[in-house]
Amino acid sequence: MSVLRIVSYNIHKGRSATGSRESLADLRLGLYGLRPDLLFLQEVQGRNERRSSLDAQHESLGAALRMQAAYGCNAVRQNTDHGNALLSRFPILSQENQDISDHRLEQRGLLHVTVQINGTPVHCLVVHLGLFAGSRSRQVGALVERIKRLVPDDEPILIAGDFNDWNNRLAPLFVQQLGLCEVFAVAPERAPSGPVVPRNPVRRITRSLRGLHGAMQLRRSIYEPVGLFAPHEPGRIQPAQELAMNGAARLSLPPRTFPAVFPWLRLDRIYQRGFAVHYAQVLQGAPWKQMSDHAPLLAELELP
């Protein structure tokens, strides 16, 4: 039985949220303080011939955190390249980067790394999907096909990264076809350390009404399920019907992670199969809002 600390982070090629300064040194310090066991990174520069301080970022972070590193190169430029990376405290058994680019404007890859945790192979997939809905649907199709082809049903899976899925249209596909759960959908709420004293009765009433509305929506979703690509009102996010730990359906939305200075869009995810979720959190505010344009995700998962 192992409790793992999982972090997913789009590091913006080692630059600050605005891109005006380098942030890789701050990233090393911040990630070191999190003590991650598995680190899913997107927009990692594997090569930068213009600035040596930004070169081989997966190796630099791996050395600082004393973790093994796997890198999948996706986008190649004249003097730079970047892609996804996985850093692991556990032995890496295998790694493969699958090209899932949908057009010339966006080079995307799927990094599949298998690590061994206490004798159990765990499949870790780092993703960064496209900006267009059609591209994302085809890329998720490639991801589902790969998992069905290469990952046995009884082996644990972690899928994390920047899904660019601000309308939350992809979650039902993971739940229905792969039996995965998004960690924020099933994470238990931690009990407060002291008595809760409502400071604002209006806010309390508003929250109660929101909870009632959510319950009504859940009942309707059970009897009138919405298809993955069903028409919806423009600009409205469709709540995903996730599976809770007791097998019951539950409405939830992934956390807001972009932009880091004021998170509004729900772009980043951690999906899992075969783990118990202890805790999930978006790391907001200082110093994270200054290190990248995305806020990182942190989850504590237990592998039986």
Side-chain angles (χ1 to χ4, degrees), residues 17-32:
T18 60
S20 59
R21 65 177 183 85
E22 295 183 16
S23 62
L24 197 60
D26 294 333
L27 280 167
R28 281 194 291 265
L29 184 60
L31 292 173
Y32 181 85

Side-chain angles (χ1 to χ4, degrees), residues 130-209:
L131 296 174
F132 302 101
S135 296
R136 291 194 297 273
S137 65
R138 287 183 285 271
Q139 289 161 355
V140 166
L143 172 61
V144 171
E145 187 277 332
R146 180 181 184 87
I147 291 175
K148 288 185 174 181
R149 177 169 48 91
L150 296 177
V151 180
D153 292 339
D154 60 344
E155 292 186 358
I157 299 177
L158 291 168
I159 306 175
D162 180 357
F163 285 76
N164 275 317
D165 182 28
W166 49 82
N167 286 328
N168 201 37
R169 307 298 300 280
L170 304 176
L173 186 61
F174 287 107
V175 173
Q176 295 163 8
Q177 296 199 25
L178 298 175
L180 299 171
C181 294
E182 198 270 325
V183 295
F184 284 82
V186 297
E189 295 184 2
R190 289 191 171 181
S193 56
V196 178
V197 180
R199 297 183 178 180
N200 190 331
V202 175
R203 183 178 301 174
R204 180 178 60 181
I205 295 172
T206 301
R207 288 176 178 173
S208 299
L209 292 175

Side-chain angles (χ1 to χ4, degrees), residues 1 9 15 41 63 99 101-102 122 213 227-228 259 265 285 289 297:
M1 183 179 299
Y9 201 6
R15 291 191 173 274
L41 299 177
D99 186 358
S101 302
D102 197 55
V122 176
H213 175 72
L228 177 61
L265 295 178
K289 67 180 182 180
L297 301 180

Side-chain angles (χ1 to χ4, degrees), residues 88-107:
S88 172
R89 293 197 185 279
F90 306 98
I92 293 177
L93 301 178
S94 64
Q95 67 180 81
E96 183 179 2
N97 194 54
Q98 178 179 339
D99 186 358
I100 56 173
S101 302
D102 197 55
H103 50 81
R104 291 185 178 181
L105 298 179
E106 293 181 297
Q107 292 77 45

